[in-house]
Amino acid sequence: RAVARKFADQPVQNPEPGVWAVLTAISKKARLRSEGMNILLSADEHILGRTVENPRFRISAVSVSGNHCKIYKDTVIGELQRDEPVPVYLKDSSTNGTYVNWNKFMKRSPPTKLNHGDIISFTTPPHHDASYAFVYREVNAVSCVGNGTTILKRKS
């Protein structure tokens, strides 16, 4: 939890426009992913899993399902409540489940709302040695630093 809090409190540096959230690796296995430590979320919906087409959203572990879970923005509620941030949800579609803050969700579970700083772990609890654990970080494109690097800052 301390590692997740540390990452959640730091601004996200990324030059890609349109990124609204980042999953940052916090477990050893997740940090060793060949696809990198950060999974950038920029579309309204992203499928994460072992056999997804886009390698940025791939978690190459046998225990992770091909299409393990979906992280998506509820744009309908976002349109109805324009002065509020658009809610983001995680829906598990796997065999082994997905943990959000140590709570296990299975494919029959309803979608769970994600909040800045939540810990998402694939197939095992975040503290387990075999876990692929990430911290969910909401971001806003805010400014450009002198060297041309865009900094995405977390929402207050």
Side-chain angles (χ1 to χ4, degrees):
R1 287 185 181 157
V3 172
R5 191 174 308 118
K6 177 182 170 190
F7 278 111
D9 288 342
Q10 295 176 359
V12 178
Q13 293 186 12
N14 188 288
E16 292 189 36
V19 173
W20 50 267
V22 176
L23 299 179
T24 300
I26 58 172
S27 68
K28 182 178 180 181
K29 288 200 176 241
R31 286 187 301 238
L32 294 174
R33 287 176 61 241
S34 61
E35 299 82 14
M37 266 188 68
N38 290 320
I39 298 174
L40 307 177
L41 306 176
S42 57
D44 286 344
E45 175 180 303
H46 293 283
I47 306 291
L48 288 85
R50 184 174 29 84
T51 61
V52 294
E53 188 175 321
N54 189 332
R56 291 184 345 185
F57 306 106
R58 198 171 293 149
I59 299 170
S60 302
V62 177
S63 60
V64 173
S65 294
N67 291 319
H68 195 89
C69 70
K70 172 171 69 171
I71 295 177
Y72 64 97
K73 294 165 101 175
D74 190 333
T75 53
V76 173
I77 291 178
E79 285 295 317
L80 296 173
Q81 301 171 348
R82 292 180 183 211
D83 56 338
E84 298 289 323
V86 176
V88 176
Y89 292 89
L90 180 142
K91 174 65 177 141
D92 180 81
S93 53
S94 71
T95 303
N96 294 321
T98 305
Y99 290 80
V100 177
N101 298 328
W102 283 266
N103 296 311
K104 187 173 187 178
F105 293 89
M106 301 293 288
K107 61 176 113 185
R108 286 182 230 86
S109 302
T112 184
K113 187 174 185 298
L114 293 177
N115 296 297
H116 180 80
D118 282 350
I119 298 170
I120 300 169
S121 181
F122 296 85
T123 72
T124 60
H127 62 278
H128 195 279
D129 287 342
S131 76
Y132 283 81
F134 298 83
V135 62
Y136 172 76
R137 302 163 66 193
E138 295 176 337
V139 295
N140 280 334
V142 176
S143 62
C144 203
V145 183
N147 64 5
T149 303
T150 301
I151 291 193
L152 301 172
K153 294 186 178 177
R154 74 179 187 89
K155 292 180 181 178
S156 57

